[in-house]
Amino acid sequence: MKKKHISINLEGEQMARHIAMLVQKASKYESSIYIQSGDKRVNAKSIMGMMTLGMDLSENLEISAEGTDEETALDGITGFLTSGE
């Protein structure tokens, strides 16, 4: 399992759109991907889970991935959350 701690940098006005895009991106990976904010941990491939996380601008998150493509998944998800790419 690989983990990274990041601060997100996404425009708050369109957070629901960013969450939907994140779920689509996470679903492309075989690995299990989880995002944790405080003591709340959700599956990054679950739109309902991600909506309940309630991410805010400049929030600190822990991203974890476990599986055959965990490093690629971790890089892709953290890249998206920090730069929108």
Side-chain angles (χ1 to χ4, degrees):
M1 177 185 292
K2 303 272 185 180
K3 293 182 181 183
K4 278 189 184 180
H5 293 271
I6 63 165
S7 291
I8 61 173
N9 186 22
L10 300 172
E11 294 186 30
E13 302 166 357
Q14 299 179 359
M15 191 56 74
R17 180 174 166 265
H18 288 304
I19 289 171
M21 291 171 59
L22 173 66
V23 170
Q24 287 179 340
K25 188 169 192 70
S27 295
K28 293 179 181 180
Y29 299 107
E30 290 184 31
S31 294
S32 298
I33 304 167
Y34 290 91
I35 298 180
Q36 184 166 339
S37 175
D39 58 353
K40 193 169 197 176
R41 183 176 186 243
V42 299
N43 181 343
K45 296 179 184 182
S46 166
I47 189 73
M48 294 305 289
M50 289 301 301
M51 295 301 278
T52 64
L53 192 59
M55 293 187 300
D56 292 321
L57 284 174
S58 302
E59 184 169 351
N60 293 315
L61 303 173
E62 179 183 270
I63 315 300
S64 61
E66 184 172 14
T68 57
D69 59 353
E70 62 189 23
E71 192 155 335
T72 304
L74 197 60
D75 289 344
I77 298 301
T78 57
F80 177 78
L81 287 171
T82 57
S83 66
E85 296 178 4

